[in-house]
Amino acid sequence: MYRQITDPLDHPALTALLAATPLLVLLVLLGVLRVKAFWAALAGLATAVVTAVAVYGMPAGQAALGAAEGAAFGLFPIVWIVLGAVWINRLQRASGHDAVISRTFARLSDDPRVQAVLIAFCFGAMIESLSGFGTPIAVTSVILVGLGQPPLKAAAIATFANTAPAAFGSVGNPIQALAKVTSYPAAELGAMVGRQSAVIAFLVPFVLLFILDGRRGLCELWPVALAAGAGFGAGQYLCSNHLAYQLTDLVAALVSAGAVILVLRVRRPPHPPDPGPGAGSRAPRLPAQPEPEPAFALAAAAPLVPPPVADVPSAPVPPVDHRREVLRAYFPYALLTLLFSLVSYDGPVARFVDAQDVSFTWPGLHVMSASGRPVAIATFDFGWLGAAGTLLLLTGVVSAWVLRVPARRALRCYGEALRQIRWAALTVSCVLALSYVMNLAGMAVSLGVWLAGAGRLFALLSGLLGWFGVALTGSDTSSNALFGAMQVTAAQHVGISPLLAAATNSTGGVQGKAAAMQNLVIAAGAVGLTGREGDILRKVIGWSLAVLTVLCVLAWLQSTSALGWMVP
């Protein structure tokens, strides 16, 4: 039996610094020293175990069992999701329908930057509204690669775009978890989160354009970013405050996509940059062409007998796909949305699926909180039937038949997907093992206790605690369950709105999605860049912290008379 302690050094600041060391080791090795993700995760795990045993007094056996539970959670449901998404992508490539998808998006807009916003931001939010755990990252990143985006850029775009909808993902599951641990009504929490998240989501499309094409992308496509961000923010605010918070992401995604399409009909963007390794940097200007001769001069100089017309090959016209083939190409995503809807919304199917869930305390793991209660993280939830990975597997099986991929070829695609993600699976398992050891030992609680001692500045640091929780666990739901009650207690102690602090934990946490190791591994594994998670992190970490800073300032202003009117 191990009972958590929150301040083993009797110095909250030093304890917090020590508690953060495993995650800092992971991020520095990965993002600064460019160590392969697997070795960085192992080093972080070793640091966490040593700290838990030597400083927090956690028995070595309990630390090992906690790491084993985390590794198992990494394999299921995380790796299970990636495997299904990669397999569906390989089935589409085998049938040639990935090219059909590319042509349909090209007809909507031939600009790859606009396509990336529509897919990663709008379509990704629709997927996030039904299923989290990195599913939108895995699905949208492979679509972007199929449309011609470089794999590294596609992974970065899919990862950062997933920050906008995360607070209301999985049919509002993060809000429900926050309500459970704080005893606040879920509707009130959803309304407060919507008043923060709408502002933050507005900024995300602008960041995506900058990642895609630097300043040129912003200058040329700011109306698209404005429409996408304003539409998404308006949809989030209106739905979370006046409709049902469970549908927030779905409504926001549809409003955002509609706004972008409307802008494209009114104002066509400039000619897109040439794709390729240099995409994103400013293209060199072409030399000026001579002015054409006036028409009357050409007519005067023309011979009386026109010369025979030479056979000049014309530019190839993109084929127009038959409607049947377009429907087949998008069938996997339509079926996936249907299945997620059936298991997410309350009904006979959802109740039957929930009845198949299996939950059990991890064998041999006995950990109590500092107050003497069993910690929830020691319970392993094996929801095998309703898991996103299982729904992706079922979608792949049906899609292979619809896409007319022979059974032997479909099995070969599955084997290729397994080989592609094998190192990603190992890395995810190590990262989740690290996360579980830190949570079970009490390191995460130590950080919260230290931040709670910041007085009135706690409102400024509250979002940072949520960011750390999601960077550690990869889930806004987990971060809310971990730090939600602590945020309320700290807010009551320093004299600010507890509702504001609880909501800020969730809204600040979504930016941690871009730095969460499990999401980086999912993105890298999906696009075939396993081992280059550090490259993805370097592309998004600065933007993640920048947007987090905006949120922290917003939350602080909401705790004062300046923007206090925004708090219900």
Side-chain angles (χ1 to χ4, degrees):
M1 175 69 68
Y2 170 68
R3 185 166 179 168
Q4 293 178 344
I5 53 178
T6 58
D7 191 7
L9 301 180
D10 291 326
H11 193 296
L14 288 180
T15 299
L17 179 61
L18 192 65
T21 300
L23 188 61
L24 293 175
V25 168
L26 174 65
L27 295 177
V28 169
L29 289 178
L30 191 66
V32 179
L33 302 180
R34 304 193 179 193
V35 175
K36 286 188 178 296
F38 168 63
W39 293 112
L42 272 181
L45 174 59
T47 305
V49 171
V50 169
T51 304
V53 174
V55 179
Y56 282 78
M58 188 179 193
Q62 293 295 297
L65 288 170
E69 184 190 6
F73 183 78
L75 293 175
F76 184 93
I78 307 301
V79 173
W80 190 225
I81 291 171
V82 182
L83 178 59
V86 173
W87 183 41
I88 291 174
N89 175 253
R90 287 190 170 272
L91 288 174
Q92 288 185 312
R93 290 168 58 184
S95 66
H97 285 85
D98 59 331
V100 177
I101 293 177
S102 300
R103 288 191 289 267
T104 56
F105 273 101
R107 281 192 287 273
L108 183 63
S109 172
D110 60 352
D111 194 315
R113 301 166 297 180
V114 176
Q115 296 171 0
V117 170
L118 286 170
I119 295 169
F121 187 68
C122 302
F123 182 54
M126 293 180 64
I127 300 176
E128 178 69 25
S129 70
L130 300 170
S131 174
F133 290 107
T135 308
I137 298 174
V139 173
T140 59
S141 59
V142 294
I143 296 178
L144 290 175
V145 171
L147 289 170
Q149 287 288 349
L152 179 60
K153 191 169 290 186
I157 291 298
T159 301
F160 193 82
N162 189 232
T163 62
F168 295 96
S170 301
V171 201
N173 199 35
I175 304 298
Q176 295 163 22
L178 193 59
K180 183 177 180 180
V181 300
T182 62
S183 299
Y184 270 99
E188 290 186 18
L189 288 167
M192 185 63 236
V193 171
R195 300 181 187 200
Q196 294 177 323
S197 182
V199 177
I200 302 306
F202 171 77
L203 303 175
V204 173
F206 294 93
V207 176
L208 296 179
L209 286 181
F210 198 93
I211 295 175
L212 282 162
D213 197 26
R215 294 179 181 178
R216 179 177 61 181
L218 285 177
C219 292
E220 294 181 352
L221 294 176
W222 65 265
V224 172
L226 180 63
F232 199 92
Q236 275 198 329
Y237 169 75
L238 292 173
C239 191
S240 62
N241 280 262
H242 301 290
L243 296 176
Y245 72 89
Q246 296 93 333
L247 301 176
T248 296
D249 281 342
L250 185 61
V251 171
L254 291 174
V255 173
S256 180
V260 171
I261 293 173
L262 181 62
V263 167
L264 292 176
R265 290 183 179 276
V266 175
R267 181 183 184 275
R268 301 298 298 180
H271 194 276
D274 293 332
S281 59
R282 185 173 295 277
R285 292 184 179 274
L286 295 175
Q289 299 297 322
E291 292 292 331
E293 292 288 340
F296 66 84
L298 292 176
L304 296 178
V305 180
V309 179
D311 293 330
V312 179
S314 59
V317 178
V320 177
D321 298 294
H322 194 280
R323 181 177 300 178
R324 180 177 59 252
E325 297 305 319
V326 174
L327 291 176
R328 282 178 178 164
Y330 284 95
F331 173 82
Y333 307 110
L335 177 60
L336 189 62
T337 302
L338 174 63
L339 293 177
F340 276 133
S341 300
L342 289 175
V343 303
S344 298
Y345 296 105
D346 188 28
V349 175
R351 288 191 289 270
F352 173 78
V353 169
D354 291 341
Q356 313 308 312
D357 291 354
V358 179
S359 297
F360 57 91
T361 300
W362 193 259
L365 187 60
H366 304 291
V367 178
M368 308 290 286
S369 68
S371 60
R373 299 177 180 177
V375 295
I377 197 175
T379 300
F380 190 87
D381 296 319
F382 187 66
W384 63 275
L385 184 56
T390 304
L391 300 183
L392 283 163
L393 175 65
L394 179 59
T395 299
V397 171
V398 179
S399 298
W401 175 71
V402 173
L403 299 177
R404 298 180 178 178
V405 179
R408 182 174 298 180
R409 181 70 180 108
L411 288 175
R412 193 180 309 126
C413 289
Y414 198 83
E416 293 169 355
L418 274 172
R419 285 193 298 273
Q420 178 177 329
I421 70 165
R422 63 189 185 279
W423 294 111
L426 192 57
T427 304
V428 166
S429 297
C430 291
V431 170
L432 267 296
L434 178 157
S435 171
Y436 269 60
V437 170
M438 289 186 66
N439 286 324
L440 289 167
M443 298 182 206
V445 179
S446 297
L447 283 162
V449 170
W450 172 64
L451 288 176
R456 295 289 298 183
L457 286 178
F458 177 72
L460 191 64
L461 301 175
S462 178
L464 178 62
L465 187 59
W467 184 94
F468 181 85
V470 176
L472 180 64
T473 65
S475 166
D476 199 43
T477 301
S478 300
S479 177
N480 287 344
L482 188 63
F483 291 133
M486 189 181 307
Q487 294 266 18
V488 169
T489 301
Q492 292 171 339
H493 179 71
V494 301
I496 65 174
S497 168
L499 178 65
L500 171 63
T504 303
N505 187 85
S506 187
T507 313
V510 300
Q511 285 305 314
K513 280 273 190 177
M517 188 61 198
Q518 75 175 52
N519 290 338
L520 296 173
V521 173
I522 287 172
V527 300
L529 292 179
T530 299
R532 295 186 62 187
E533 290 81 2
D535 294 337
I536 303 173
L537 177 64
R538 281 188 291 276
K539 278 188 169 292
V540 298
I541 184 66
W543 293 109
S544 172
L545 294 175
V547 178
L548 173 66
T549 302
V550 174
L551 181 274
C552 289
V553 173
L554 173 64
W556 175 69
L557 290 174
Q558 288 174 330
S559 71
T560 68
S561 58
L563 293 180
W565 52 269
M566 294 183 68
V567 181

